[in-house]
Amino acid sequence: MKKILLFVLALMLMVPTLATEAASKGKVLLVASSTNTLTLKDGKVDPTGYFLDELTVPTMRLIKEGYKVVLATPKGDIPVMDKVSNNVALFHGDQAALDEALDFVQHNPVMLHPIKIKDAIAEGLDNYAAVYVPGGHAPMNDLMQDKDFGKVLRYFHEKGKPTAFLCHGPIASLAALDDPVGYRKALVSGTFDEQAEKSKNWQYAGYRMTIYSNAEEYPVEKNVLKGNLPFYVADALQIAGGTVEHAPLNQGHVVRDRELITGQNPASDHMIAEELVKALAEKH
């Protein structure tokens, strides 16, 4: 009798968990950088991280739509927000929306309990319906040359599962290269022959895509960074074979080509959330 009671009790404790899992439409892998600085061309080290609206707007929309979001970083640490993005202008002047986003990154379990990218792979990528990478300059550091993330991208490409990147985030798609570390070094050094060699066989070559434009980057370099970036992300995708498209400066713009969904800038946050939700619904 005691064993039966213990079994019933254990079953009762499992019910909320089972109900939650049943209610979920699936899991989405949110991938962010483990770095919080970027070395500029002149050697100056600038603080960086993810952009608040770019992480929270799509993530909160996915949760609202019934998806479970799992955060992964290369080191399994909590990613750092770029303080520049703590700006109500990025939330269309809506202070309540900014406060909600700040509360999310500071207190939501999604943000407080990240895993390593390699752990997501070990768990089984078939458990994930999509992957999403927000911007900020941070992905220019580790994500674009992270070989574990390259494995994630190759899996999602092979399975045709939605793969979304926003603003500077699309630079992380280069992790799928055969030698992403070598390609980044070639970009920083400006060695054109090496760039051409190291960017061969990219799985997204020929795809239509967008990313933060050089023209949008110039005023950031002048007024925010006070220095030049080690390379321009739009150039990096074009050299690798991407068909890069841009809308006018700071206007929202999203491009979808097969499984790849890319957004140009912070103003594209709601647009890419909508396109990702739509792509997930189509897969269902």
Side-chain angles (χ1 to χ4, degrees), residues 32-245:
S33 170
S34 284
T35 63
N36 59 6
T37 60
L38 177 69
T39 302
L40 303 182
K41 186 165 285 188
D42 63 0
K44 174 189 172 186
V45 177
D46 196 76
T48 190
Y50 64 80
F51 251 47
L52 180 63
D53 68 303
E54 296 176 22
L55 186 147
T56 58
V57 170
T59 300
M60 292 168 67
R61 174 65 187 279
L62 287 165
I63 293 171
K64 182 180 179 181
E65 293 290 334
Y67 294 93
K68 179 181 179 181
V69 177
V70 176
L71 171 62
T73 64
K75 295 181 180 178
D77 51 354
I78 296 175
V80 174
M81 179 185 71
D82 189 325
K83 294 180 180 178
V84 172
S85 68
N86 185 358
N87 187 335
V88 72
L90 294 172
F91 294 84
H92 309 285
D94 187 341
Q95 184 64 46
L98 171 59
D99 292 342
E100 184 179 17
L102 288 170
D103 181 72
F104 181 87
V105 298
Q106 291 167 1
H107 303 113
N108 193 284
V110 169
M111 297 300 300
L112 300 181
H113 302 290
I115 63 174
K116 292 181 180 179
I117 295 173
K118 66 170 59 177
D119 291 338
I121 296 170
E123 172 197 338
L125 293 175
D126 55 324
N127 292 322
Y128 292 92
V131 61
Y132 172 64
V133 181
H137 286 119
M140 295 174 68
N141 292 316
D142 52 355
L143 288 186
M144 71 172 291
Q145 54 183 340
D146 188 274
K147 294 189 176 181
D148 287 325
F149 190 50
K151 293 177 183 177
V152 172
L153 293 176
R154 284 189 283 276
Y155 168 85
F156 276 83
H157 176 67
E158 179 186 340
K159 300 296 182 181
K161 292 186 177 185
T163 306
F165 304 87
L166 180 56
C167 198
H168 290 81
I171 196 67
S173 63
L174 293 168
L177 285 169
D178 295 337
D179 184 8
V181 176
Y183 185 49
R184 189 184 190 281
K185 288 180 180 177
L187 289 169
V188 173
S189 67
T191 311
F192 299 114
D193 290 345
E194 196 74 7
Q195 290 171 6
E197 179 63 31
K198 296 296 184 180
S199 62
K200 288 180 179 178
N201 304 318
W202 189 36
Q203 65 187 25
Y204 302 116
Y207 275 61
R208 294 172 50 245
M209 60 188 67
T210 190
I211 194 168
Y212 206 62
S213 69
N214 293 5
E216 288 169 314
E217 205 78 84
Y218 299 148
V220 174
E221 289 181 312
K222 179 180 179 181
N223 302 316
V224 180
L225 301 178
K226 309 294 185 183
N228 294 320
L229 292 165
F231 58 88
Y232 293 112
V233 291
D235 293 347
L237 296 191
Q238 287 178 321
I239 293 167
T243 302
V244 181
E245 306 173 2

